[in-house]
Structures are given as C-alpha cells and as structure tokens.
C-alpha cells in the first residue's frame, strides 16, 4: 500500500514539475452594450443611457478612469417607437457629467429632441443600432397611467404632525412607492459660502405591489412627521461645520410597470439552495434594463406652520 502511495505521488510530481504557475483569467473579449432606459409617462422628455463592457489587462482602476473605455466612440442610432401607432422619435447624444469617483466622469446619455408623451397601455420599443458592428438591440415595455386621485386627510398640504395620504394607483401599474423630498442649501457655517443645493428622500412607503387582479386599489399612507424629522436631523447632524437653509418639501410618488415588478421579485432573497440569477437584464444580447414608470409630485407640499416647526427642530437650519 505504501508503494502505491509513493508511486502516485511521484507520478503527480512528474506531471506538475514542468507546469507554469500562471493562471490565464482573460476570456476572449466580447463587446456587449449596457443600456439603461426608464420611460416616464409623467414626462414629455425621455432618456437612454448607453455604455459597453470592456476588458483590459493590468490594473482595473486605471481602466475605470479612461473615458475611451466603456463607451461607444461613435454616434449611435437610438429610437423610441410606439408599437401600436408606429410613431417614433430619434434621440440625440447629450453628455451629462457624473460626480468624480472611481470611474471617469463621462456619461453618455441620449434624449428626445421634441416632446414625446406616452399613451397609457400602449407598448413602446427602445431600439439601439451600433453602426460599427451593424447590430441592433431592442426591448419593449408598456406605458402606465397616472394615479387618478391624491387626497390629504387634514389639509390640502402636508403638515409635520401625522397626516394620512390616499392615492388611487393608475392603470397598468404593478409596484408603487411614495417619498418626501426635502430640498436644502448646504453652506460653510463660518462664511456662508461654497453653497450647494441638495436633497434628502424619506420613503413613506416603498414597493407596494398590486393586488392579484394586477390593479391598485386606494393606497393609504401614514406620513409620520416625527420619524421624518428624526431622519432629517440624523442625516444633517453628520455634517459638522455646515449650515442648512430650507428651500422646499415635495411629495413624490412613482408607479412602476410589470418590468419593475419582475426586477423586484428577482432581487428578493431565495429560500432555496439554488441561487437566483443576478442578471435582471431584459434586453436580448445586451446588459441593462428598460422599464416604464409614471412619476408625479406635489411641490411645496408643506404648510407654512410646519416649515417653521421643521426649521426649529433641526440645529443649524435657517429659513
């Protein structure tokens, strides 16, 4: 038995003695578009963001800083079309610079050149054509309708005490969220200079799903003023040496279509040993996501008396 063991060991040693200890981890490169588009029924301007996968040998972060990598260095042909009517519009490139970070600040975005509103219930196709490869990538989504009714229980606006909000969801919506957006100006407290406008979002409800009939009944939302103020106080207190000037408070709500519902279910933890796919792309032969939402808002939603209370509740807040 000892003879057999030694023989096997020597055999393995002979096989591996001449082998290299380098591991080739690079597969043949395949260019894949990365497309992100959310068609918004609450807007007459639509956007498509486009990039692509890239592969380099060496330091990954060096490539991330290179603005020529990860993007198509040619003008792409991008169109959005109503599949019911045949009406289509061509999008033009408009670069929107990103904040500095690990990746370069380039951000290739295409936008519609004229008002392009969506008809609820109709399907729309987003089509990308890459001239250098001759390849076309498409995805279709259904446009959804606006919420039909929004009611505050106490006033026509929001107050800082508990207030109930009732929203009747729009047709074709499958998932719903409502959040309060607090706008403020952030400045250096000693000089009152270097000011920037920022916002904080507080979700009153997040990812409410449609019922089994795939429709929304009335959604009752309790806006807990004390929790919201505590959230703002905690977030702003983490920035010492800064002062804050109140701008306004909006109530925003957004409905997502069945594409967002599917993406939500795919993101949930699995109860089974078989891991769920992390690829939620709904674009054949490409990566990314094309979806449909309807956004709406009530601007300056806070009553005057609550604005005063809010300013008094947050240290360093100015009116």
């Amino acid at each position: 038995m000892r003879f057999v063991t030694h023989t096997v060991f020597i055999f393995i040693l002979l096989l591996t003695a001449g082998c290299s200890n380098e591991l080739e981890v690079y597969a043949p490169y395949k260019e894949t578009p990365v497309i992100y588009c959310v068609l918004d029924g609450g807007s007459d301007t639509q956007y498509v963001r486009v990039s692509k996968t890239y592969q380099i040998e060496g330091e990954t972060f060096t490539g991330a800083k290179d603005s020529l990598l990860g993007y198509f260095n040619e003008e792409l042909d991008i169109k959005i079309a109503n599949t019911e009517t045949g009406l289509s519009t061509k999008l033009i490139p408009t670069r929107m610079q990103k904040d500095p970070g690990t990746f370069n600040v380039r951000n290739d975005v295409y936008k519609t050149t004229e008002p392009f509103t969506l008809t609820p219930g109709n399907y729309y196709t987003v089509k990308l054509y890459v001239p250098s490869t001759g390849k076309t990538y498409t995805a279709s989504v259904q446009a959804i309708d606006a919420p039909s009714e929004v009611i505050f229980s106490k006033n026509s606006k929001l107050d800082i005490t508990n207030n109930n909000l009732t929203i009747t969801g729009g047709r074709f919506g499958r998932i719903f969220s409502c959040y309060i957006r607090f706008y403020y100006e952030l400045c250096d407290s000693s000089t009152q200079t270097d000011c920037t406008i920022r916002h904080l979002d507080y979700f009153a409800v997040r990812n409410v799903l449609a019922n089994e009939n795939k429709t929304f009944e009335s959604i009752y939302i309790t806006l807990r003023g004390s929790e919201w103020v505590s959230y703002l106080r905690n977030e702003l207190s983490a920035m010492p040496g800064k002062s804050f000037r109140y701008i306004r408070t909006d109530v925003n709500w957004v409905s997502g279509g069945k594409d967002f519902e599917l993406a939500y279910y795919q993101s949930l933890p699995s109860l089974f040993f078989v891991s769920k796919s992390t690829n939620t792309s709904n674009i054949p032969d490409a990566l990314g996501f094309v979806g449909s939402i309807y956004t709406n808002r009530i601007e300056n939603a806070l009553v005057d008396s609550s604005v005063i209370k809010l300013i008094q509740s947050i240290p360093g807040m100015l009116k």
Side-chain angles (χ1 to χ4, degrees):
M1 184 67 180
R2 181 176 298 177
F3 172 77
V4 173
T5 303
H6 287 174
T7 302
V8 172
F9 174 77
I10 294 172
F11 179 68
I12 294 175
L13 184 63
L14 290 173
L15 285 177
T16 59
C19 295
S20 170
N21 59 1
E22 295 182 0
L23 176 64
E24 180 60 55
V25 296
Y26 294 99
Y29 172 64
K30 177 184 178 182
E31 181 179 273
T32 304
V34 182
I35 306 165
Y36 183 80
C37 172
V38 178
L39 299 180
D40 186 356
S43 174
D44 62 2
T45 305
Q46 311 300 332
Y47 299 88
V48 177
R49 188 176 70 200
V50 183
S51 58
K52 67 177 181 178
T53 58
Y54 69 90
Q55 177 176 282
I56 62 169
E57 295 188 19
E59 178 57 51
T60 303
F61 291 111
T62 302
K65 293 291 186 182
D66 190 340
S67 63
L68 297 180
L69 293 174
Y71 294 95
F72 291 94
N73 295 299
E74 59 181 309
E75 186 168 331
L76 306 173
D77 185 6
I78 302 179
K79 294 179 181 178
I80 300 174
N82 185 327
T83 59
E84 314 285 332
T85 65
L87 180 67
S88 66
T89 186
K90 181 178 173 64
L91 284 71
I92 61 171
T94 172
R95 288 188 179 178
M96 297 182 178
Q97 196 172 47
K98 297 182 293 188
D99 293 333
T102 300
F103 291 89
N104 66 81
V105 296
R106 181 174 171 180
N107 188 24
D108 287 6
V109 176
Y110 287 68
K111 64 178 290 188
T112 52
T113 58
E114 55 189 19
F116 191 80
T117 55
L118 308 180
T119 302
N122 284 7
Y123 281 84
Y124 289 81
T125 297
V126 177
K127 182 169 73 172
L128 163 68
Y129 173 73
V130 182
S132 60
T133 63
K135 294 182 179 180
T136 300
Y137 307 88
T138 61
S140 296
V141 293
Q142 185 183 34
I144 62 180
D145 209 350
S148 58
E149 190 176 36
V150 179
I151 301 173
F152 287 103
S153 62
K154 292 184 179 180
N155 308 290
S156 59
K157 288 190 173 183
L158 177 67
D159 65 33
I160 209 167
T161 59
N162 288 357
N163 198 327
N164 293 326
L165 176 68
T166 303
I167 299 179
T168 302
R171 296 176 301 153
F172 314 111
R174 304 280 278 271
I175 189 167
F176 176 87
S177 294
C178 177
Y179 58 95
I180 306 171
R181 175 160 288 181
F182 172 82
Y183 286 95
Y184 65 99
E185 188 178 53
L186 177 69
C187 302
D188 183 278
S189 59
S190 59
T191 62
Q192 293 300 305
T193 57
D194 298 325
C195 299
T196 58
I197 295 177
R198 299 190 179 185
H199 67 263
L200 290 169
D201 291 337
Y202 172 80
F203 278 83
V205 295
R206 190 196 299 261
N207 298 334
V208 176
L209 298 173
N211 59 29
E212 63 274 9
N213 296 321
K214 304 303 180 186
T215 59
F216 284 115
E217 299 172 348
S218 293
I219 302 170
Y220 300 96
I221 303 168
T222 298
L223 302 175
R224 298 177 175 85
S226 59
E227 291 183 7
W228 176 49
V229 173
S230 295
Y231 165 75
L232 295 178
R233 188 185 297 115
N234 291 337
E235 291 293 319
L236 297 177
S237 64
M239 293 182 280
K242 300 292 183 180
S243 64
F244 320 98
R245 188 176 302 277
Y246 177 82
I247 298 179
R248 75 172 196 267
T249 298
D250 297 348
V251 174
N252 299 262
W253 58 95
V254 55
S255 294
K258 58 185 179 182
D259 30 83
F260 274 96
E261 180 189 40
L262 178 60
Y264 170 75
Y265 279 121
Q266 289 179 329
S267 69
L268 294 176
S270 176
L271 297 177
F272 303 96
F273 290 106
V274 179
S275 61
K276 298 168 69 174
S277 172
T278 57
N279 180 16
T280 57
S281 175
N282 59 354
I283 311 165
D285 301 319
L287 298 175
F289 180 79
V290 175
S292 175
I293 62 174
Y294 196 106
T295 58
N296 211 337
R297 70 184 56 84
I298 299 175
E299 295 185 353
N300 294 304
L302 207 60
V303 297
D304 292 340
S305 59
S306 288
V307 172
I308 296 173
K309 292 179 182 178
L310 182 63
I311 293 173
Q312 294 173 344
S313 301
I314 300 177
M317 179 65 68
L318 306 172
K319 186 172 182 180

